[in-house]
Amino acid sequence: MTTGLAAAVLAAALAVPAQAQGEGRPPHWELKETGTDVRFRGLAAVSRSSAWLAGSAGTVLRTGDGGRTWRNVSPPGAQDLQFRDIEAFDARRAVVLAIGEGEASRVYRTDDGGATWTESFRNTDPRAFYDCLTFFDPRHGLAMSDPVDGRFRILSTKDGGRSWQVLPNEGMPPALEGEAGFAASGQCLVNSGPRDVWLATGGAARARVLHSADRGLTWTAADTTVPAGDPARGVFALAFRDRAHGIAVGGDYRADQPSPQAAATTGDTGRTWTPAAQPPPAYRSGVAWLPYSRTTALAVGPTGTDLTTDGGRTWRTVDTGSYDTVDCTPDQGCWAAGEKGRVARLEN
């Protein structure tokens, strides 16, 4: 851990007086006015100054000035779509995923900051429902659909999202009865490094994490300790700081239901999962490691933000605002987004 941000967040979590830190005001989420009330479950942080948002009503926003102003760069004619994930390579290039049954699942790409968009994929299988996407590099990426013919379906691109192909499903283990992904934060499919990718599930008797070490051709499945057994429960988000060490968060998204054991960790590429000794107190839909940190991460959900400084073993609530997703960048920029147009950046 080399960043001042990580140390500052730790100070906030331990409620150390700001004066003792010599930092002025402790770190906090600072809301950024977006001028809309749509729900943003898709977030791609490029830097402290640049970020993309994707949300309901086909909305895509972009900032290049740290959130002081936001430009509406929504694809034309997309107002009936639900954007749930966005991956950005820089301030000009991004790929956004719309979710839903049949043709509601679509992918768009822009190369000019959202001035123009190209629809690069439209799902024609009424049984498929795409939830999340991830990119290994600016060329290679994957998207995942809920099970079709008893197995999760994986979509692959080798040209930055300009074209997509459905991968063979022989290397995908059978799905459990009722098993699916959650399109809650754009973090049900995540990668670390050039080839490793993980898929989070719920809705079945057991919440699982599936892992592929060959960009989605073959997969292995592992049970987690996050409770499932109901369509509303399971693992909602994953974050890996390297190919071995990861965090899973989730729970039960219904506000009137408890979410015990809502976080777990792995140190062996997702083969085994250990429950958090002190988990977040409620359902969490998004999680992100702080840059350059081996031990510090943030988890967010409708009832607050939690911090871990021991690699996910224990969590402490540090904010009670509602957020659905969180993302951090190498230059120490952490962003969060959620309902009613809420977007914030972590400020020192």
Side-chain angles (χ1 to χ4, degrees):
M1 184 190 310
T2 60
T3 71
L5 176 64
V9 172
L10 175 58
L14 299 179
V16 176
Q19 295 84 352
Q21 296 298 315
E23 296 284 347
R25 185 179 179 185
H28 56 282
W29 287 124
E30 183 175 292
L31 287 170
K32 308 292 183 179
E33 178 59 49
T34 60
T36 181
D37 62 356
V38 306
R39 189 164 198 164
F40 293 115
R41 294 184 183 270
L43 166 65
V46 176
S47 66
R48 277 189 59 79
S49 61
S50 179
W52 298 71
L53 304 169
S56 55
T59 306
V60 178
L61 304 186
R62 179 175 62 85
T63 185
D65 57 11
R68 288 189 295 274
T69 60
W70 294 88
R71 183 174 181 181
N72 189 328
V73 294
S74 305
Q79 61 271 12
D80 294 330
L81 300 178
Q82 299 293 317
F83 289 135
R84 293 292 182 90
D85 199 356
I86 187 166
E87 302 291 329
F89 310 117
D90 51 39
R92 298 186 61 78
R93 299 176 298 163
V95 177
V96 64
L97 171 73
I99 64 133
E101 296 178 348
E103 293 191 1
S105 286
R106 305 179 193 181
V107 178
Y108 295 82
R109 177 185 165 106
T110 183
D111 289 292
D112 54 14
T116 61
W117 293 86
T118 300
E119 181 185 308
S120 59
F121 173 77
R122 182 180 295 204
N123 173 48
T124 57
D125 190 333
R127 302 168 299 170
F129 185 114
Y130 285 85
D131 298 292
C132 294
L133 74 163
T134 192
F135 276 84
F136 302 95
D137 56 49
R139 293 178 56 204
H140 300 90
L142 302 175
M144 60 80 69
S145 163
D146 290 340
V148 176
D149 294 328
R151 299 174 191 268
F152 284 94
R153 176 170 288 181
I154 302 297
L155 200 64
S156 174
T157 181
K158 297 180 180 178
D159 56 13
R162 295 179 178 88
S163 64
W164 298 84
Q165 299 78 37
V166 175
L167 293 181
N169 69 359
E170 288 82 2
M172 176 67 72
L176 304 176
E177 183 178 354
E179 192 173 28
F182 292 109
S185 62
Q187 296 177 324
C188 60
L189 185 72
V190 302
N191 77 283
S192 179
R195 305 190 68 82
D196 288 277
V197 58
W198 295 264
L199 188 162
T201 83
R206 306 185 305 276
R208 303 196 296 176
V209 172
L210 281 63
H211 169 238
S212 172
D214 55 12
R215 289 183 180 167
L217 294 176
T218 60
W219 298 78
T220 57
D223 293 346
T224 74
T225 57
V226 176
D230 186 277
R233 293 201 295 260
V235 176
F236 281 72
L238 298 167
F240 278 77
R241 65 172 173 83
D242 53 41
R243 72 181 305 267
H245 298 88
I247 295 173
V249 300
D252 190 318
Y253 69 74
R254 295 170 294 191
D256 61 343
Q257 296 296 313
S259 292
Q261 299 179 358
T265 63
T266 182
D268 58 8
T269 320
R271 288 191 294 271
T272 61
W273 292 85
T274 302
Q278 182 179 324
Y283 156 71
R284 294 295 180 252
S285 56
V287 62
W289 292 91
L290 266 69
Y292 310 112
S293 175
R294 297 173 60 85
T295 57
T296 308
L298 294 167
V300 300
T303 62
T305 298
D306 301 299
L307 172 76
T308 180
T309 58
D310 55 15
R313 289 186 291 275
T314 62
W315 296 84
R316 173 177 293 189
T317 301
V318 294
D319 185 89
T320 57
S322 176
Y323 299 103
D324 292 312
T325 187
V326 60
D327 195 18
C328 295
T329 63
D331 68 346
Q332 306 178 24
C334 285
W335 297 78
E339 62 180 348
K340 299 179 181 178
R342 284 173 59 87
V343 179
R345 191 179 69 176
L346 197 65
E347 303 289 350
N348 290 329

